Amino acid sequence: MATLRPLTVEDVLRVNGSRRFAAALAAASPFDSLADALLAARRIWLNEVDVTGWLEAFAAHPSIGTTSSSVSKWSKEEQSAALSTATDSTAQELSEWNAKYREKFGFVFMICASGRTAPEVLAELKRRYANRPIVELEAAAEEELKISELRLTKLFSAETAAPPTSGSSNRTRPPITTHVLDTALGSPAAGIEVHLEMWKDVSSTPAFDNKEFKGWTTLGTSVTNNDGRSGQLMDIVDNVAPGFYRISFNTSKYAPSGFFPYVSIIFEIKRSQTTEHFHVPLLHSPFSFTTYRGS
């Protein structure tokens, strides 16, 4: 799972806007595994980057709720839950509190917004506004590190993805794949049982107001290896069937004292996407998890 090439400063600046961080992480690459890259990132961010570097990284982020066309793809993905759940009044309140926060602390409100709704982000902003500046600076730095770890995982996935076969649509791997990363330890999560299912009930579709969930058919099961990657969960086919899929992870055995007994992620493959690849990873800790569509 090593990176295909050493990272450049430009690569890392997509992950974190601090040039000192980018130069140091690029110099430490290539890495033998994602876990090594994450450990190096944490060490560099906390031990080698000073406050000036922290502020430089913060400045690379838009305010939560910003919809400008200049916002990066990753920022849009990370804020998608907040943007989709923001009412006009919530959006206005977020804007006002963002301005109050910047006036008090001198930098943009930093939060790893992936999967968080607008009300959740607003509540956290109000709570942290009461912090003393030194406390809030450290809190913001921790959130920046979470974002950097999430983006580094995306960068690593892109680097290690199999290249397309020239002149052919034949696949070398199943159209749906996954891996699990333990974000609390910064390492792959081995030994997690994974199930992939497809919705087969033609009379209805899985929806928020349809809680019966009796229409699922198992396509395959596996257990994550030492790199956190599952084995083959379905056949290797050129065109995956369109429809709804559910990928589930038995996290209770991996983290018995954690909050989540299992994690299930439901997603839809549309008819226009049947030749595409869908990598659906789980970034898990005992008390939180996130996911995204990778390549």
Short mmCIF file of all heavy atoms in Angstrom, two decimals, residues 1 4 154 156-165 169-179 196 229-240 274-281 293-295:
data_model
loop_
_atom_site.label_atom_id
_atom_site.label_comp_id
_atom_site.label_asym_id
_atom_site.label_seq_id
_atom_site.Cartn_x
_atom_site.Cartn_y
_atom_site.Cartn_z
N MET A 1 0.82 -1.20 0.00
CA MET A 1 0.00 0.00 0.00
C MET A 1 0.86 1.26 0.00
O MET A 1 0.44 2.33 0.35
CB MET A 1 -0.91 -0.02 1.23
CG MET A 1 -1.96 1.07 1.25
SD MET A 1 -3.02 0.91 2.70
CE MET A 1 -3.83 2.48 2.62
N LEU A 4 2.75 5.60 -4.66
CA LEU A 4 3.40 5.26 -5.92
C LEU A 4 4.61 6.13 -6.17
O LEU A 4 5.47 5.77 -6.95
CB LEU A 4 2.39 5.41 -7.06
CG LEU A 4 1.12 4.56 -6.93
CD1 LEU A 4 0.20 4.80 -8.12
CD2 LEU A 4 1.49 3.08 -6.86
N LYS A 154 -7.70 10.43 1.74
CA LYS A 154 -8.21 10.57 0.37
C LYS A 154 -7.05 10.62 -0.63
O LYS A 154 -7.12 9.99 -1.69
CB LYS A 154 -9.05 11.84 0.26
CG LYS A 154 -10.35 11.83 1.03
CD LYS A 154 -11.10 13.13 0.82
CE LYS A 154 -12.40 13.17 1.60
NZ LYS A 154 -13.15 14.42 1.40
N PHE A 156 -4.06 9.38 -0.27
CA PHE A 156 -3.44 8.07 -0.33
C PHE A 156 -4.27 7.13 -1.19
O PHE A 156 -3.73 6.35 -1.98
CB PHE A 156 -3.30 7.50 1.09
CG PHE A 156 -1.97 6.88 1.35
CD1 PHE A 156 -0.88 7.68 1.67
CD2 PHE A 156 -1.80 5.51 1.31
CE1 PHE A 156 0.35 7.11 1.94
CE2 PHE A 156 -0.57 4.94 1.57
CZ PHE A 156 0.51 5.74 1.89
N SER A 157 -5.59 7.19 -1.04
CA SER A 157 -6.48 6.33 -1.83
C SER A 157 -6.33 6.63 -3.30
O SER A 157 -6.31 5.73 -4.14
CB SER A 157 -7.93 6.53 -1.39
OG SER A 157 -8.12 6.11 -0.07
N ALA A 158 -6.22 7.91 -3.64
CA ALA A 158 -6.06 8.29 -5.04
C ALA A 158 -4.72 7.82 -5.59
O ALA A 158 -4.62 7.37 -6.73
CB ALA A 158 -6.18 9.81 -5.19
N GLU A 159 -3.68 7.91 -4.77
CA GLU A 159 -2.34 7.50 -5.20
C GLU A 159 -2.24 6.01 -5.45
O GLU A 159 -1.52 5.55 -6.32
CB GLU A 159 -1.31 7.92 -4.15
CG GLU A 159 -0.96 9.38 -4.16
CD GLU A 159 -0.19 9.76 -5.41
OE1 GLU A 159 0.78 9.07 -5.76
OE2 GLU A 159 -0.59 10.72 -6.06
N THR A 160 -2.97 5.23 -4.64
CA THR A 160 -2.83 3.78 -4.70
C THR A 160 -3.90 3.11 -5.53
O THR A 160 -3.93 1.89 -5.64
CB THR A 160 -2.85 3.17 -3.28
OG1 THR A 160 -4.06 3.56 -2.63
CG2 THR A 160 -1.68 3.66 -2.47
N ALA A 161 -4.82 3.90 -6.10
CA ALA A 161 -5.87 3.32 -6.93
C ALA A 161 -5.27 2.72 -8.19
O ALA A 161 -4.31 3.23 -8.76
CB ALA A 161 -6.89 4.39 -7.32
N ALA A 162 -5.83 1.61 -8.64
CA ALA A 162 -5.35 0.97 -9.85
C ALA A 162 -5.61 1.87 -11.05
O ALA A 162 -6.70 2.41 -11.20
CB ALA A 162 -6.05 -0.37 -10.04
N PRO A 163 -4.63 2.05 -11.93
CA PRO A 163 -4.84 2.91 -13.10
C PRO A 163 -5.81 2.27 -14.07
O PRO A 163 -5.91 1.05 -14.15
CB PRO A 163 -3.43 3.01 -13.72
CG PRO A 163 -2.74 1.75 -13.28
CD PRO A 163 -3.28 1.46 -11.91
N PRO A 164 -6.55 3.06 -14.84
CA PRO A 164 -7.49 2.50 -15.81
C PRO A 164 -6.75 1.75 -16.91
O PRO A 164 -5.63 2.11 -17.28
CB PRO A 164 -8.22 3.73 -16.36
CG PRO A 164 -7.28 4.86 -16.12
CD PRO A 164 -6.54 4.54 -14.85
N THR A 165 -7.37 0.74 -17.44
CA THR A 165 -6.78 -0.04 -18.51
C THR A 165 -7.03 0.67 -19.83
O THR A 165 -8.16 0.94 -20.20
CB THR A 165 -7.41 -1.45 -18.57
OG1 THR A 165 -7.24 -2.05 -17.29
CG2 THR A 165 -6.75 -2.30 -19.63
N SER A 169 -12.63 -1.51 -20.93
CA SER A 169 -13.38 -1.24 -19.71
C SER A 169 -13.29 -2.40 -18.73
O SER A 169 -13.94 -2.39 -17.71
CB SER A 169 -14.86 -0.97 -20.07
OG SER A 169 -15.43 -2.13 -20.67
N ASN A 170 -12.51 -3.45 -19.06
CA ASN A 170 -12.38 -4.60 -18.17
C ASN A 170 -11.77 -4.17 -16.84
O ASN A 170 -10.74 -3.49 -16.81
CB ASN A 170 -11.52 -5.69 -18.81
CG ASN A 170 -12.20 -6.32 -20.02
OD1 ASN A 170 -13.42 -6.36 -20.08
ND2 ASN A 170 -11.41 -6.78 -20.97
N ARG A 171 -12.37 -4.61 -15.76
CA ARG A 171 -11.90 -4.25 -14.42
C ARG A 171 -10.85 -5.24 -13.93
O ARG A 171 -10.82 -6.39 -14.35
CB ARG A 171 -13.07 -4.23 -13.43
CG ARG A 171 -14.20 -3.25 -13.76
CD ARG A 171 -15.27 -3.33 -12.69
NE ARG A 171 -16.47 -2.59 -13.02
CZ ARG A 171 -16.71 -1.35 -12.65
NH1 ARG A 171 -15.81 -0.69 -11.93
NH2 ARG A 171 -17.85 -0.75 -12.98
N THR A 172 -10.03 -4.79 -13.01
CA THR A 172 -9.08 -5.68 -12.34
C THR A 172 -9.47 -5.90 -10.88
O THR A 172 -8.76 -6.60 -10.16
CB THR A 172 -7.66 -5.09 -12.40
OG1 THR A 172 -7.67 -3.79 -11.76
CG2 THR A 172 -7.20 -4.94 -13.84
N ARG A 173 -10.58 -5.30 -10.44
CA ARG A 173 -11.06 -5.44 -9.07
C ARG A 173 -12.58 -5.27 -9.09
O ARG A 173 -13.14 -4.74 -10.06
CB ARG A 173 -10.42 -4.39 -8.16
CG ARG A 173 -10.58 -2.97 -8.68
CD ARG A 173 -9.91 -1.94 -7.81
NE ARG A 173 -9.98 -0.62 -8.41
CZ ARG A 173 -9.77 0.51 -7.77
NH1 ARG A 173 -9.48 0.48 -6.49
NH2 ARG A 173 -9.84 1.66 -8.39
N PRO A 174 -13.26 -5.69 -8.05
CA PRO A 174 -14.72 -5.52 -8.02
C PRO A 174 -15.10 -4.04 -8.09
O PRO A 174 -14.31 -3.17 -7.69
CB PRO A 174 -15.12 -6.13 -6.67
CG PRO A 174 -13.99 -7.03 -6.31
CD PRO A 174 -12.76 -6.39 -6.87
N PRO A 175 -16.28 -3.73 -8.58
CA PRO A 175 -16.68 -2.32 -8.70
C PRO A 175 -16.94 -1.63 -7.37
O PRO A 175 -16.97 -0.41 -7.30
CB PRO A 175 -17.96 -2.38 -9.54
CG PRO A 175 -18.46 -3.77 -9.40
CD PRO A 175 -17.26 -4.63 -9.21
N ILE A 176 -17.14 -2.41 -6.28
CA ILE A 176 -17.33 -1.83 -4.95
C ILE A 176 -16.27 -2.39 -4.03
O ILE A 176 -16.13 -3.62 -3.88
CB ILE A 176 -18.73 -2.14 -4.39
CG1 ILE A 176 -19.81 -1.56 -5.31
CG2 ILE A 176 -18.88 -1.56 -2.98
CD1 ILE A 176 -21.23 -1.95 -4.91
N THR A 177 -15.50 -1.53 -3.39
CA THR A 177 -14.44 -1.93 -2.47
C THR A 177 -14.49 -1.07 -1.22
O THR A 177 -15.17 -0.04 -1.18
CB THR A 177 -13.05 -1.81 -3.11
OG1 THR A 177 -12.87 -0.45 -3.57
CG2 THR A 177 -12.90 -2.75 -4.29
N THR A 178 -13.74 -1.47 -0.21
CA THR A 178 -13.71 -0.69 1.04
C THR A 178 -12.41 -0.94 1.79
O THR A 178 -11.67 -1.90 1.50
CB THR A 178 -14.91 -1.05 1.95
OG1 THR A 178 -14.95 -0.13 3.04
CG2 THR A 178 -14.78 -2.46 2.50
N HIS A 179 -12.14 -0.08 2.73
CA HIS A 179 -11.10 -0.33 3.74
C HIS A 179 -11.53 0.38 5.01
O HIS A 179 -12.40 1.25 4.99
CB HIS A 179 -9.72 0.17 3.27
CG HIS A 179 -9.53 1.66 3.32
ND1 HIS A 179 -9.83 2.49 2.26
CD2 HIS A 179 -9.08 2.48 4.31
CE1 HIS A 179 -9.56 3.74 2.59
NE2 HIS A 179 -9.12 3.77 3.83
N LEU A 196 -21.53 -6.85 2.28
CA LEU A 196 -22.06 -6.02 1.22
C LEU A 196 -23.40 -6.61 0.77
O LEU A 196 -23.49 -7.81 0.50
CB LEU A 196 -21.11 -5.96 0.03
CG LEU A 196 -21.61 -5.16 -1.19
CD1 LEU A 196 -21.77 -3.69 -0.85
CD2 LEU A 196 -20.66 -5.33 -2.37
N ARG A 229 -7.96 -3.47 4.54
CA ARG A 229 -8.74 -3.66 3.33
C ARG A 229 -9.49 -4.98 3.37
O ARG A 229 -8.96 -6.00 3.83
CB ARG A 229 -7.83 -3.62 2.09
CG ARG A 229 -7.17 -2.25 1.92
CD ARG A 229 -6.44 -2.12 0.59
NE ARG A 229 -5.90 -0.77 0.46
CZ ARG A 229 -6.58 0.27 -0.01
NH1 ARG A 229 -7.83 0.10 -0.40
NH2 ARG A 229 -6.03 1.46 -0.09
N SER A 230 -10.72 -4.96 2.87
CA SER A 230 -11.50 -6.18 2.83
C SER A 230 -11.12 -7.00 1.61
O SER A 230 -10.56 -6.47 0.64
CB SER A 230 -13.00 -5.85 2.77
OG SER A 230 -13.36 -5.42 1.47
N GLY A 231 -11.46 -8.28 1.67
CA GLY A 231 -11.32 -9.12 0.49
C GLY A 231 -12.43 -8.81 -0.49
O GLY A 231 -13.21 -7.87 -0.32
N GLN A 232 -12.54 -9.62 -1.53
CA GLN A 232 -13.53 -9.40 -2.58
C GLN A 232 -14.93 -9.59 -2.04
O GLN A 232 -15.27 -10.62 -1.47
CB GLN A 232 -13.27 -10.36 -3.74
CG GLN A 232 -14.11 -10.11 -4.96
CD GLN A 232 -13.62 -10.91 -6.16
OE1 GLN A 232 -12.43 -10.95 -6.42
NE2 GLN A 232 -14.55 -11.53 -6.89
N LEU A 233 -15.79 -8.57 -2.23
CA LEU A 233 -17.16 -8.59 -1.71
C LEU A 233 -18.19 -8.89 -2.79
O LEU A 233 -19.36 -9.12 -2.47
CB LEU A 233 -17.49 -7.24 -1.06
CG LEU A 233 -16.71 -6.91 0.21
CD1 LEU A 233 -16.94 -5.45 0.61
CD2 LEU A 233 -17.09 -7.84 1.35
N MET A 234 -17.77 -8.87 -4.06
CA MET A 234 -18.69 -9.17 -5.16
C MET A 234 -17.87 -9.59 -6.37
O MET A 234 -16.64 -9.47 -6.37
CB MET A 234 -19.56 -7.95 -5.48
CG MET A 234 -18.79 -6.76 -6.01
SD MET A 234 -19.83 -5.29 -6.29
CE MET A 234 -21.05 -5.92 -7.43
N ASP A 235 -18.55 -10.05 -7.39
CA ASP A 235 -17.87 -10.49 -8.61
C ASP A 235 -17.24 -9.30 -9.33
O ASP A 235 -17.69 -8.16 -9.22
CB ASP A 235 -18.84 -11.18 -9.55
CG ASP A 235 -19.35 -12.51 -9.01
OD1 ASP A 235 -18.64 -13.12 -8.19
OD2 ASP A 235 -20.46 -12.91 -9.41
N ILE A 236 -16.18 -9.57 -10.09
CA ILE A 236 -15.57 -8.55 -10.93
C ILE A 236 -16.35 -8.51 -12.24
O ILE A 236 -16.30 -9.45 -13.04
CB ILE A 236 -14.09 -8.85 -11.19
CG1 ILE A 236 -13.31 -8.88 -9.87
CG2 ILE A 236 -13.48 -7.81 -12.13
CD1 ILE A 236 -11.86 -9.26 -10.02
N VAL A 237 -17.11 -7.45 -12.44
CA VAL A 237 -17.94 -7.29 -13.64
C VAL A 237 -17.68 -5.93 -14.25
O VAL A 237 -17.32 -4.97 -13.56
CB VAL A 237 -19.44 -7.44 -13.29
CG1 VAL A 237 -19.76 -8.85 -12.86
CG2 VAL A 237 -19.85 -6.43 -12.21
N ASP A 238 -17.86 -5.84 -15.57
CA ASP A 238 -17.64 -4.56 -16.25
C ASP A 238 -18.68 -3.53 -15.85
O ASP A 238 -18.36 -2.35 -15.67
CB ASP A 238 -17.66 -4.76 -17.76
CG ASP A 238 -16.37 -5.38 -18.29
OD1 ASP A 238 -15.40 -5.47 -17.51
OD2 ASP A 238 -16.35 -5.78 -19.46
N ASN A 239 -19.93 -3.97 -15.71
CA ASN A 239 -21.02 -3.05 -15.40
C ASN A 239 -21.74 -3.52 -14.15
O ASN A 239 -22.34 -4.60 -14.13
CB ASN A 239 -22.01 -2.97 -16.56
CG ASN A 239 -21.40 -2.35 -17.80
OD1 ASN A 239 -21.28 -1.14 -17.90
ND2 ASN A 239 -21.01 -3.18 -18.76
N VAL A 240 -21.64 -2.70 -13.10
CA VAL A 240 -22.33 -3.03 -11.85
C VAL A 240 -23.81 -2.70 -12.00
O VAL A 240 -24.17 -1.73 -12.70
CB VAL A 240 -21.71 -2.26 -10.67
CG1 VAL A 240 -21.86 -0.76 -10.85
CG2 VAL A 240 -22.30 -2.70 -9.35
N THR A 274 -22.75 2.98 -13.93
CA THR A 274 -22.50 1.54 -13.81
C THR A 274 -21.10 1.09 -14.20
O THR A 274 -20.68 0.00 -13.84
CB THR A 274 -23.53 0.75 -14.65
OG1 THR A 274 -23.43 1.17 -16.02
CG2 THR A 274 -24.94 1.00 -14.14
N THR A 275 -20.37 1.92 -14.95
CA THR A 275 -18.99 1.56 -15.31
C THR A 275 -17.96 2.14 -14.35
O THR A 275 -16.77 1.90 -14.50
CB THR A 275 -18.66 2.03 -16.74
OG1 THR A 275 -18.78 3.47 -16.79
CG2 THR A 275 -19.59 1.41 -17.75
N GLU A 276 -18.42 2.92 -13.36
CA GLU A 276 -17.50 3.58 -12.43
C GLU A 276 -17.10 2.66 -11.28
O GLU A 276 -17.71 1.60 -11.07
CB GLU A 276 -18.16 4.85 -11.87
CG GLU A 276 -18.50 5.87 -12.95
CD GLU A 276 -19.22 7.08 -12.37
OE1 GLU A 276 -19.16 7.29 -11.14
OE2 GLU A 276 -19.86 7.82 -13.16
N HIS A 277 -16.09 3.08 -10.54
CA HIS A 277 -15.66 2.34 -9.35
C HIS A 277 -16.14 3.07 -8.11
O HIS A 277 -16.13 4.30 -8.05
CB HIS A 277 -14.14 2.20 -9.30
CG HIS A 277 -13.68 1.39 -8.12
ND1 HIS A 277 -13.74 0.01 -8.11
CD2 HIS A 277 -13.19 1.75 -6.92
CE1 HIS A 277 -13.30 -0.44 -6.95
NE2 HIS A 277 -12.95 0.60 -6.21
N PHE A 278 -16.54 2.30 -7.09
CA PHE A 278 -17.05 2.89 -5.85
C PHE A 278 -16.26 2.33 -4.67
O PHE A 278 -16.40 1.17 -4.30
CB PHE A 278 -18.54 2.56 -5.69
CG PHE A 278 -19.38 3.10 -6.82
CD1 PHE A 278 -19.53 2.38 -7.99
CD2 PHE A 278 -19.97 4.35 -6.71
CE1 PHE A 278 -20.28 2.88 -9.05
CE2 PHE A 278 -20.72 4.86 -7.76
CZ PHE A 278 -20.87 4.12 -8.93
N HIS A 279 -15.41 3.20 -4.12
CA HIS A 279 -14.65 2.83 -2.93
C HIS A 279 -15.31 3.52 -1.74
O HIS A 279 -15.40 4.75 -1.70
CB HIS A 279 -13.19 3.24 -3.06
CG HIS A 279 -12.32 2.73 -1.95
ND1 HIS A 279 -12.07 1.39 -1.77
CD2 HIS A 279 -11.67 3.38 -0.95
CE1 HIS A 279 -11.29 1.22 -0.72
NE2 HIS A 279 -11.03 2.41 -0.20
N VAL A 280 -15.82 2.73 -0.80
CA VAL A 280 -16.60 3.27 0.33
C VAL A 280 -15.89 2.91 1.63
O VAL A 280 -16.17 1.89 2.25
CB VAL A 280 -18.04 2.71 0.33
CG1 VAL A 280 -18.89 3.40 1.38
CG2 VAL A 280 -18.68 2.86 -1.05
N PRO A 281 -14.94 3.71 2.08
CA PRO A 281 -14.17 3.40 3.28
C PRO A 281 -14.88 3.83 4.56
O PRO A 281 -15.81 4.64 4.54
CB PRO A 281 -12.88 4.20 3.09
CG PRO A 281 -13.32 5.38 2.29
CD PRO A 281 -14.45 4.92 1.42
N ARG A 293 -17.02 8.82 -0.65
CA ARG A 293 -16.85 8.02 -1.84
C ARG A 293 -15.46 8.26 -2.39
O ARG A 293 -15.11 9.35 -2.82
CB ARG A 293 -17.88 8.36 -2.93
CG ARG A 293 -17.68 7.46 -4.14
CD ARG A 293 -18.40 7.85 -5.39
NE ARG A 293 -17.82 7.12 -6.52
CZ ARG A 293 -18.21 7.23 -7.76
NH1 ARG A 293 -19.19 8.04 -8.07
NH2 ARG A 293 -17.61 6.53 -8.71
N GLY A 294 -14.65 7.23 -2.40
CA GLY A 294 -13.30 7.31 -2.95
C GLY A 294 -13.26 6.72 -4.35
O GLY A 294 -14.28 6.39 -4.95
N SER A 295 -12.05 6.55 -4.86
CA SER A 295 -11.89 6.05 -6.22
C SER A 295 -11.19 4.70 -6.21
O SER A 295 -10.73 4.24 -5.19
CB SER A 295 -11.08 7.04 -7.05
OG SER A 295 -9.82 7.27 -6.47
#
